[in-house]
Amino acid sequence: MAKSSARKQREKLEREGKRNPDQNRSIFAFADLRSKQTKTKTEKLRQQKHKRSYSYQQEDGLFYLLVASLQS
């Protein structure tokens, strides 16, 4: 396979004792972003919106009873 002109230029700079531009790249340039996946439709539907589940909130119902005693 043939070398690209950019690769030839990088190798020439390296031979002359100058800094190789490959070394200027950040570590994030080599990160493989293809492994990152978005959630599927079913995963989004099953996702909880809040920490407390809806069934827990139903069990925690509060009832107030007002007892008024009439003194006559």
Side-chain angles (χ1 to χ4, degrees):
M1 198 162 112
K3 291 183 183 179
S4 67
S5 60
R7 183 173 173 189
K8 288 179 187 176
Q9 201 172 20
R10 286 194 304 266
E11 289 176 351
K12 181 181 176 186
L13 288 173
E14 202 170 16
R15 280 194 310 270
E16 292 173 353
K18 297 179 182 173
R19 185 172 172 88
N20 189 345
D22 282 344
Q23 296 170 346
N24 294 339
R25 294 182 185 158
S26 72
I27 58 170
F28 300 105
F30 302 106
D32 185 19
L33 299 177
R34 290 176 292 168
S35 63
K36 190 175 180 181
Q37 293 180 350
T38 58
K39 291 184 179 179
T40 61
K41 185 176 179 180
T42 54
E43 288 173 340
K44 285 183 182 180
L45 290 173
R46 291 180 183 165
Q47 178 182 347
Q48 279 188 343
K49 190 170 183 179
H50 302 288
K51 284 186 178 179
R52 290 184 162 189
S53 64
Y54 185 68
S55 61
Y56 178 76
Q57 289 177 356
Q58 286 179 346
E59 293 172 6
D60 195 25
L62 296 175
F63 297 98
Y64 293 100
L65 180 62
L66 177 62
V67 179
S69 61
L70 296 174
Q71 295 178 355
S72 32

